[in-house]
Amino acid sequence: MKIPLLDLKAQYAGIREEVMQAVSEVLESQICILGPKVEELENKVASLSDCKYAVGMSSGTDALLAALMALNIGEGDEVVTTPFTFFATAGCVARVGALPVFVDIEPKTFNIDPAKIEAAITPKTKAIIPVHLFGQMCDMDPIMEIADRHGIPVIEDGAQAISATYKGRKAGSMGAVGCFSFFPSKNLGGAGDGGMCVTNDAGLHERLLLMRSHGSKPKYYHKTVGGNFRLDPLQAAVLLVKLPHLDAWSAARRRNAALYDELFAGSPVVTPYIGPDCESIFNQYSIRVQHRDAVRKALTEATVGTEIYYPVPMHLQECFAGKCRVVGSLENSEKAANEVLALPIYPELMVEQIAYVAAVVKEAVQQPA
Ligand SMILES: Cc1ncc(COP(=O)(O)O)c(C=O)c1O
């Protein structure tokens, strides 16, 4: 049974006609930059995220970059974040000239450990970036308490967690800005790159709009230096077709996760832990296993797609050598990097496919290394 990590063709099969129609509408209109499709998506994602404003961006990376720029973060500043994330989180901090400061994760959720943040704060700290990894929001109350006490803005990296909740609050609605990615593998993925910032702050909304279009207002008058971070209306059109399906797709991922959990019960496989305050959208289902590489090899041989998110924590990346600050031990992040393995979790997976993947994993974990 060949099972890819993600089967986007299966998703596309159900929405092909609508996508074609929506793309054709944009092409017929020849509104090729921003315009009504981007605005409609912004309004819908803002409302989905319980936020007043949204600004469509060219990628999740550019959403983070624009957020940092909008907050005036740059040379000499520090930003506290997690080392166990996709590169973009820390990469954007470095790109604006600030220093990434890494604190460890909670081993159960893989998310930044709020108890480690305070020790990392200095007068230079200008933002905290919690990353809602794999679809589950961070423990936001203590993070917001520390941030508010120090007057430091929080940028939520919600790239993997659109519409996830923490105590009923939506991803992106708790910090100063939330950043989403529409990379095709996300729960809401475009037909290419795309992203969005959400905020409840009118001033920040204005700044994000400025950053998205070279800091110009009016056109050709530049108040500040921004970039070209505009979301493509063709992507917005595709995303508008997919958006009404998002809840059902995320629910299907949760159902698949529950089935894996059941199948792995009593085995040495450590299944994802979802806190009682959280509803995850399961962008990934990452198990932890000893001898991870052997288990992955067994799955590859059984034609099951897997991925390691992420094999090298940020503080150990070559580009950050001498260019980041580490606070305390990051052993939980390093251990996670050696043990995590993402299994197929996409909504269209069938029960027999999940049973097959679980059987291969269970067999592999029994083998001596
Ligand atoms: C946690 C995290 N942050 C940022 C990004 C960057 O998003 P994009 O790939 O859309 O630039 C991603 C996506 O891959 C991500 O997973």
Side-chain angles (χ1 to χ4, degrees):
M1 208 185 292
K2 194 164 189 272
I3 307 171
L5 180 64
L6 175 66
D7 186 356
L8 285 174
K9 284 188 179 170
Q11 183 191 70
Y12 183 59
I15 53 173
R16 179 186 283 114
E17 297 313 317
E18 280 175 278
V19 169
M20 288 297 192
Q21 173 69 31
V23 166
S24 166
E25 264 175 47
V26 174
L27 293 177
E28 290 301 330
S29 77
Q30 280 302 298
I31 298 174
C32 302
I33 300 291
L34 298 176
K37 291 284 185 194
V38 172
E39 273 174 35
E40 187 183 341
L41 185 71
E42 288 172 340
N43 291 336
K44 288 186 170 163
V45 171
S47 138
L48 173 80
S49 307
D50 293 339
C51 285
K52 286 194 192 133
Y53 311 101
V55 182
M57 299 288 184
S58 33
S59 65
T61 303
D62 289 340
L64 285 167
L65 194 59
L68 288 158
M69 290 166 76
L71 287 163
N72 271 316
I73 292 167
E75 214 62 55
D77 296 335
E78 295 184 354
V79 176
V80 178
T81 190
T82 165
F84 196 61
T85 180
F86 178 62
F87 179 77
T89 317
C92 288
V93 172
R95 282 175 66 191
V96 296
L99 190 76
V101 177
F102 297 117
V103 302
D104 211 1
I105 56 168
E106 300 170 328
K108 274 163 82 176
T109 63
F110 303 113
N111 281 333
I112 193 166
D113 185 344
K116 308 270 170 67
I117 293 176
E118 186 97 45
I121 290 174
T122 72
K124 292 181 179 173
T125 312
K126 291 290 150 41
I128 301 170
I129 310 185
V131 179
H132 306 319
L133 207 69
F134 304 149
Q136 171 170 223
M137 283 180 71
C138 298
D139 187 5
M140 287 301 288
D141 275 353
I143 296 173
M144 292 311 300
E145 189 277 319
I146 296 165
D148 290 345
R149 187 154 36 79
H150 290 273
I152 299 168
V154 168
I155 300 171
E156 290 177 66
D157 183 339
Q160 302 181 10
I162 190 166
S163 206
T165 59
Y166 167 84
K167 298 188 179 175
R169 313 265 313 259
K170 286 287 181 83
S173 69
M174 296 188 72
V177 196
C179 301
F180 299 128
S181 163
F182 301 132
F183 186 80
S185 66
K186 302 298 194 258
N187 287 39
L188 181 63
D193 281 308
M196 195 163 282
C197 289
V198 289
T199 183
N200 279 307
D201 181 322
L204 262 177
H205 176 231
E206 279 303 311
R207 294 273 304 161
L208 289 165
L209 289 170
L210 270 184
M211 291 309 156
R212 179 170 74 174
S213 288
H214 291 297
S216 79
K217 192 179 180 186
K219 208 171 171 187
Y220 305 127
Y221 291 80
H222 300 267
K223 288 185 189 302
T224 178
V225 177
N228 174 357
F229 302 141
R230 294 184 291 258
L231 177 66
D232 186 326
L234 284 169
Q235 294 306 332
V238 173
L239 291 161
L240 280 166
V241 171
K242 291 192 178 191
L243 188 61
H245 299 280
L246 177 63
D247 282 349
W249 287 338
S250 295
R253 284 169 179 265
R254 279 192 291 275
R255 272 200 305 278
N256 293 343
L259 182 52
Y260 273 128
D261 287 352
E262 240 173 71
L263 293 165
F264 288 132
S267 82
V269 176
V270 180
T271 54
Y273 171 82
I274 305 302
D277 294 327
C278 292
E279 183 170 71
S280 174
I281 63 160
F282 277 101
N283 181 239
Q284 300 298 341
Y285 184 88
S286 281
I287 57 168
R288 289 179 89 126
V289 279
Q290 303 296 316
H291 318 304
R292 186 262 320 276
D293 296 341
V295 174
R296 185 174 197 205
K297 187 160 169 273
L299 284 158
T300 306
E301 282 164 6
T303 62
V304 175
T306 59
E307 191 49 272
I308 296 167
Y309 302 112
Y310 295 94
V312 184
M314 292 306 118
H315 63 293
L316 300 178
Q317 295 287 350
E318 197 178 328
C319 66
F320 290 133
K323 292 182 177 153
C324 68
R325 191 156 66 80
V326 165
V327 179
S329 154
L330 302 185
E331 64 185 340
N332 294 333
S333 304
E334 290 170 19
K335 197 156 181 278
N338 288 326
E339 294 179 358
V340 283
L341 186 63
L343 303 180
I345 188 71
Y346 58 88
E348 298 81 6
L349 268 179
M350 287 175 296
V351 170
E352 314 84 78
Q353 293 177 304
I354 294 172
Y356 175 73
V357 176
V360 176
V361 173
K362 284 194 332 194
E363 168 76 22
V365 292
Q366 300 302 338
Q367 304 303 317

